[in-house]
Amino acid sequence: MNIEDIESEFLPGDRQRIEMMARGILCKGRTHEFVKDLSTHAERFNELVEQTNPNDKSYLALVYILGQHLTEVKNGKCACSIVKKDMFNSPDRLEGILEIIEESFNKEEYSHSVLSRCLSCGRNYESKEVEWGHGRKVFWNEHRS
């Protein structure tokens, strides 16, 4: 997906279509190169976000997160910084960004723990996925070796 494709998703003003576009970018097969390339259009992306209905901000949460993330990457942060964003990001959703090193399952807590490494900067992360309300939540920590 390039900036022209993204602009065409914003054009009709359909909030579901815009949110699904952001979800696709954030959760499906991203790579460091893709994020870096897309971040060169962070200003344009954020201009498009500003044109959306302010009343839709909570519905378009992933769109706002993506805009912030692209700006951060443009300003020098690594694409792995996405793990710090308040969204459901499991290590397997970040397969082009992180490499899974080790996994374990805790039966008592019914939790899935993963040790992963950023494919670009080499940072190590620990994540723990747990039951949360009617779904699941992932807690992230940077892992110090």
Side-chain angles (χ1 to χ4, degrees), residues 34-128:
F34 171 76
V35 175
K36 184 100 170 138
D37 290 345
L38 193 56
S39 76
T40 63
H41 303 286
E43 285 180 37
R44 177 64 183 140
F45 185 89
N46 286 306
E47 287 172 4
L48 293 166
V49 172
E50 288 175 17
Q51 294 173 13
T52 62
N53 185 340
N55 295 329
D56 291 339
K57 188 171 184 172
S58 63
Y59 184 85
L60 297 174
L62 290 180
V63 178
Y64 283 86
I65 288 170
L66 179 57
Q68 292 170 346
H69 183 56
L70 293 176
T71 300
E72 290 172 355
V73 171
K74 180 181 179 187
N75 291 331
K77 282 200 174 181
C78 184
C80 71
S81 64
I82 194 69
V83 303
K84 307 267 190 216
K85 300 292 182 199
D86 189 21
M87 58 182 281
F88 182 81
N89 247 342
S90 61
D92 49 332
R93 284 188 171 181
L94 298 173
E95 102 181 77
I97 303 292
L98 301 177
E99 163 190 35
I100 294 176
I101 299 168
E102 186 180 304
E103 297 182 69
S104 62
F105 184 76
N106 182 319
K107 290 180 184 178
E108 290 81 36
E109 292 181 343
Y110 201 73
S111 65
H112 181 225
S113 296
V114 176
L115 178 62
S116 52
R117 178 183 305 117
C118 176
L119 293 167
S120 181
C121 72
R123 276 190 192 100
N124 290 327
Y125 293 98
E126 292 176 314
S127 62
K128 185 176 185 178

